[in-house]
Amino acid sequence: MQDKLIVENLKTYYYSRSKVVPAVDGVSFTVDRGEVLGIVGESGCGKSTVVRSVLGLIDKSYTRIEEGRVLLNGQSLLDLSEKELNKIRGKAISMIFQNPLSSLNPVYTVGSQIVEILKIHENISKEEAKKRAVGLMRQVGIPAPESRFYDYPHQLSGGMQQRILIAIALACNPRFLIADEPTTALDVTIQAQILDLIADLCSRLNMGVILITHNMGVVAEICDRILVMYGGVTVEEGRSTDVFASPRHPYTRGLLDSIPTIKEDKEQLYSIPGQIPAFEAPVGCCRYASRCARVFDKCGECEPPLFELEHGQKARCWLYENVSPVTVPACPASEAITE
């Protein structure tokens, strides 16, 4: 049986004294080993909350998983205790966090932090753990790993720090890797190196990868499939090639039109107007309606489901209720969209 990570109808809500925020409101997807799934959307769409819910890394003082299932080869992760989850984290599923400098402990050498994860999950000696740590540093492209082993995080560049985090994530040969905005704090050339490294490791080690990002260009680089999130729900899903060639949801179209290209001579770059509204559960309308150029009466009356379209694409838009799938037209930079 092939390893598979399955998320079904996951709902994670934030609770405050005055309201309930549906941060993740019924998201479903699967990831196979050797596959890269990109989850994209603006900040506040619920991307990070999805993967933190999968690993049980939510603050339970104000966050609650309302319903849904997370299955790893048939095993329900949501039913595991904290102790049982600790055996999964870093071993079967690893995660690379956004900011490498804040994710690494500044008072320990980078080598000792790799050794720590090996000692937790593997029954090996300290000497063997150090040998493997040096090998991992070499595998992720750290030059002179024998000497860098004793460096502290502040002695490394942002790109090297990110490589150390990748080494920690790969230490115990995980079956699935979650990369949460792994290139956010890096310059463009280093971003490309990190993305190439993740893609190479996915192929070579047969890992399933979930890549969280707001950058559609990053998704185009290495992802096999795309999940576009907005307001806590999936608004479009499909193979990367299909979504880029023929986006079905107006939000996806807006994200793609916001990418500058050297082929087009535009006086003004397009940007999606407005911001993501602060939703409260239950949501009774299309969540993108306040920012959409193609909004009509039904959008404000009830929320659309995910419609099954051609080529396996899905889109959460009333445009597809009674018509054949059509490509959503590009948004001109001068188009005014009122909220």
Side-chain angles (χ1 to χ4, degrees), residues 7 23 72 98-100 107 118 140 147 158 168 174 176 257 330 339:
V7 175
L72 178 63
Q98 288 189 33
N99 191 332
V107 300
L118 288 166
V140 298
S147 60
I168 293 173
F176 295 93
D257 287 340
E339 294 192 21

Side-chain angles (χ1 to χ4, degrees), residues 21-274:
V21 179
V24 177
D25 205 7
V27 171
S28 301
F29 60 84
T30 63
V31 185
D32 294 315
R33 293 188 69 174
E35 177 185 34
V36 182
L37 171 69
I39 303 181
V40 301
E42 296 167 277
S43 297
C45 285
K47 308 183 300 297
S48 294
T49 303
V50 168
V51 295
R52 288 179 178 274
S53 299
V54 167
L55 289 176
L57 297 176
I58 57 175
D59 188 337
K60 295 182 180 179
S61 64
Y62 65 89
T63 310
R64 186 184 306 164
I65 296 178
E66 297 292 329
E67 63 178 271
R69 296 199 303 168
V70 178
L71 304 175
L72 178 63
N73 296 336
Q75 181 183 27
S76 176
L77 300 188
L78 299 185
D79 296 330
L80 299 182
S81 66
E82 189 68 18
K83 184 177 181 180
E84 291 170 325
L85 274 175
N86 283 335
K87 296 178 181 179
I88 300 291
R89 300 177 188 133
K91 180 68 175 178
I93 307 175
S94 282
M95 185 167 179
I96 304 170
F97 295 92
Q98 288 189 33
N99 191 332
L101 188 57
S102 65
S103 299
L104 294 169
N105 193 320
V107 300
Y108 291 98
T109 63
V110 294
S112 67
Q113 295 182 60
I114 302 175
V115 167
E116 180 184 17
I117 192 72
L118 288 166
K119 292 286 288 178
I120 289 173
H121 291 289
E122 306 284 348
N123 184 24
I124 57 177
S125 66
K126 187 174 181 179
E127 292 73 20
E128 178 62 22
K130 179 181 176 181
K131 182 179 178 181
R132 284 181 56 178
V134 171
L136 284 163
M137 292 173 69
R138 183 177 292 109
Q139 184 179 16
V140 298
I142 301 289
E146 292 83 2
S147 60
R148 290 292 192 182
F149 181 92
Y150 299 100
D151 284 350
Y152 290 88
H154 73 271
Q155 295 177 280
L156 302 178
S157 67
M160 290 297 109
Q161 292 168 5
Q162 194 64 280
R163 290 172 188 266
I164 292 296
L165 281 184
I166 295 174
I168 293 173
L170 297 178
C172 298
N173 300 312
R175 289 169 281 176
F176 295 93
L177 176 68
I178 298 171
D180 188 1
E181 304 273 11
T183 62
T184 296
L186 306 177
D187 62 54
V188 176
T189 56
I190 302 301
Q191 284 183 22
Q193 294 174 17
I194 295 299
L195 291 174
D196 289 343
L197 175 61
I198 292 174
D200 176 65
L201 292 171
C202 172
S203 175
R204 186 150 45 88
L205 304 179
N206 193 33
M207 289 190 307
V209 176
I210 300 175
L211 179 66
I212 310 295
T213 183
H214 60 269
N215 188 334
M216 294 293 282
V218 168
V219 172
E221 187 76 19
I222 66 172
C223 293
D224 301 302
R225 290 189 297 115
I226 299 177
L227 191 78
V228 183
M229 287 189 65
Y230 183 85
V233 297
T234 301
V235 295
E236 183 160 356
E237 181 181 354
R239 292 179 300 184
S240 296
T241 51
D242 294 329
V243 172
F244 275 85
S246 182
R248 301 302 189 186
H249 196 278
Y251 180 60
T252 309
R253 178 77 264 180
L255 291 176
L256 292 175
D257 287 340
S258 300
I259 302 174
T261 66
I262 60 175
K263 296 181 181 180
E264 299 180 7
D265 183 17
K266 293 182 179 180
E267 294 184 2
Q268 182 181 356
L269 293 176
Y270 175 78
S271 63
I272 301 174

